[in-house]
Amino acid sequence: MAGNFKRLFNFLALFSFVSVACFVLVLFYSRRSFEQVAKLLAKKIEASNKSSEMAPTPSAVSLTLGPCPDNPPDLVGPLLVEFDFGRTWEHVRKEVSPLLQKGGRFKPKDCVAKQKVAIIIPFRNRHEHLKHWLYYLHPILKRQLVDYGVYVINQDGEGVFNRAKLMNAGYVEALKEYDYDCFLFSDVDLVPLNDRNLYRCFDNPRHLAIGMDKFNFDLPYKTFFGGVASLYKHQYLKINGFPNTYWGWGGEDDDIYKRIVLRGMQVSRPDLLTGRYRMIKHQRDVHNDPNPKNPDKLFQTHWTMNADGINSLKYTVKSIEKDILYTFITVDIGSPE
Ligand code: UDP
Ligand code: BGC
Ligand code: MN
């Protein structure tokens, strides 16, 4: 009996010892794994803190930025515009360059612009005018919260000038660079007198320069479409772009107006106070005399527009220069046939 009791006692003692040993072992390992988990967590937290200290990537920014407001808050309305001939390029560059990217590009930094606007300027030998245009327009466009680029399309050589063909070339060249959805065409000598005249696109092709000082701040005639105009890409394509065959001064803007109406669209305009402009006074340029053939061509727009436009455009690029204030593209557009 006593032997049995002793055996039972030994068995219980061994069992308790093994249980305690197992318990200690489990405790020891579970503590280690707890420490490991804690260490891992601490590492993760440290890493995420570090990444939030780093500059956010552009894609991360656009994920969090909201769309730009339809009525940009920094617009001031009427502007004082004076073409001070003492204004130097150095001064313009210093005033206007901040926040611009090479090639005359800008994007609002606190919101996502709703439109990507290519600004196309037909050009030859008007550097003095370009200086004033850049001086006034860049600050206005920045306040208007536009995602934009400025493309000066320079006609190569001394041949007859062709404004509309240069604008077609500008459309093609700008699209090679960025996914623009809106195209704004501006003469180099026109500066708006009100920053509420928005340089963007609208439900219909837009004529912006409705009240030029040289026309007593009024339209010279009801269907005038000259100076500054904007079209969405799809509106521009609907009219087969602009005519390539208006060499010399006059008529090409009237042809564009006709194309718009013939394709069932209307022309959108600001009101007469908002649409005021100042034009830098100038003589008619050489190789840009009024072309007597141009007015007659307007009777044929309804059928010429199908074959004369973006679908028949031919030109060659001679050079592309990237300034901080603009992209300057020299093109050979040929001569009248
Ligand atoms: N232009 C140019 N160089 C020229 C002729 C014309 O740069 O030799 C461009 C410039 O953008 C100008 C636009 O074409 O503003 C329209 O020409 P212009 O100013 O002579 O026409 P206006 O509307 O004054 O009659
Ligand atoms: C011409 C247009 C020009 C307008 C105003 C018209 O006779 O055809 O090209 O813009 O006059 O000068
Ligand atoms: Mn002019």
Side-chain angles (χ1 to χ4, degrees):
M1 187 67 191
N4 276 351
F5 185 75
K6 203 176 170 191
R7 231 177 286 143
L8 181 68
F9 177 80
N10 282 347
F11 173 76
L12 281 176
L14 186 72
F15 181 77
S16 331
F17 175 76
V18 169
S19 305
V20 170
C22 284
F23 180 70
V24 168
L25 269 174
V26 164
L27 212 69
F28 177 73
Y29 278 108
S30 67
R31 213 182 134 212
R32 267 190 57 173
S33 60
F34 174 77
E35 274 171 6
Q36 274 170 354
V37 170
K39 265 188 199 160
L40 251 166
L41 267 176
K43 264 191 189 164
K44 276 221 156 163
I45 290 168
E46 196 187 338
S48 83
N49 280 350
K50 261 192 194 154
S51 73
S52 68
E53 277 162 23
M54 286 185 330
T57 59
S59 59
V61 169
S62 58
L63 279 179
T64 52
L65 288 182
C68 294
D70 287 330
N71 296 311
D74 291 339
L75 300 182
V76 296
L79 305 169
L80 180 71
V81 173
E82 284 171 333
F83 301 118
D84 167 10
F85 284 85
R87 185 170 288 141
T88 62
W89 274 101
E90 198 189 356
H91 176 70
V92 173
R93 236 171 252 294
K94 201 166 147 242
E95 286 282 308
V96 167
S97 299
L99 304 179
L100 289 183
Q101 287 163 12
K102 219 170 164 208
R105 297 279 296 270
F106 174 82
K107 244 183 209 208
K109 73 172 181 4
D110 297 327
C111 58
V112 180
K114 288 187 186 142
Q115 296 180 18
K116 289 173 258 177
V117 185
I119 299 181
I120 315 278
I121 303 178
F123 184 90
R124 184 167 66 189
N125 200 22
R126 296 267 198 113
H127 292 86
E128 179 67 20
H129 294 187
L130 181 61
K131 180 180 71 189
H132 295 295
W133 190 96
L134 295 164
Y135 176 77
Y136 284 111
L137 264 298
H138 272 304
I140 294 173
L141 295 166
K142 288 178 197 170
R143 288 203 293 281
Q144 291 190 354
L145 300 176
V146 197
D147 175 358
Y148 71 90
V150 172
Y151 297 85
V152 181
I153 312 300
N154 177 43
Q155 182 169 339
D156 188 42
E158 293 293 313
V160 184
F161 195 72
N162 188 329
R163 179 176 176 266
K165 191 168 183 183
L166 288 170
M167 299 197 292
N168 277 340
Y171 167 88
V172 174
E173 291 305 310
L175 271 182
K176 285 182 189 168
E177 271 203 352
Y178 192 45
D179 185 23
Y180 291 107
D181 46 24
C182 169
F183 296 82
L184 189 139
F185 304 89
S186 175
D187 284 358
V188 72
D189 54 17
L190 283 170
V191 173
L193 286 168
N194 192 315
D195 66 2
R196 296 194 198 284
N197 195 356
L198 297 174
Y199 275 47
R200 61 176 70 161
C201 288
F202 292 78
D203 288 347
N204 279 293
R206 178 94 156 174
H207 180 225
L208 290 88
I210 61 167
M212 296 184 197
D213 52 358
K214 70 167 175 175
F215 298 130
N216 286 321
F217 300 108
D218 204 349
L219 283 170
Y221 50 95
K222 252 185 93 179
T223 61
F224 179 56
F225 199 68
V228 186
S230 70
L231 293 91
Y232 273 121
K233 185 178 177 185
H234 67 87
Q235 295 166 343
Y236 175 90
L237 292 174
K238 197 169 178 179
I239 62 170
N240 191 21
F242 301 157
N244 299 304
T245 51
Y246 283 76
W247 298 94
W249 186 92
E252 82 295 340
D253 47 352
D254 304 315
D255 188 281
I256 296 167
Y257 184 94
K258 290 197 83 172
R259 286 173 181 237
I260 291 166
V261 174
L262 285 164
R263 285 290 170 272
M265 294 182 283
Q266 289 170 351
V267 165
S268 149
R269 288 192 171 118
D271 63 69
L272 257 177
L273 271 181
T274 312
R276 284 181 164 228
Y277 273 79
R278 215 170 266 304
M279 192 185 89
I280 304 173
K281 290 197 175 60
H282 62 85
Q283 308 278 312
R284 180 76 31 82
D285 303 84
V286 288
H287 312 300
N288 194 29
D289 292 327
N291 187 337
K293 287 186 189 156
N294 288 357
D296 288 344
K297 283 167 66 63
L298 289 168
F299 294 108
Q300 291 153 29
T301 306
H302 63 281
W303 66 274
T304 53
M305 70 177 287
N306 298 314
D308 176 17
I310 192 68
N311 66 354
S312 63
L313 175 67
K314 286 193 184 73
Y315 67 95
T316 51
V317 174
K318 304 289 278 193
S319 63
I320 300 180
E321 180 205 328
K322 292 267 172 198
D323 190 282
I324 185 73
L325 302 178
Y326 52 80
T327 298
F328 195 85
I329 306 182
T330 300
V331 288
D332 180 352
I333 58 168
S335 49
E337 277 166 14

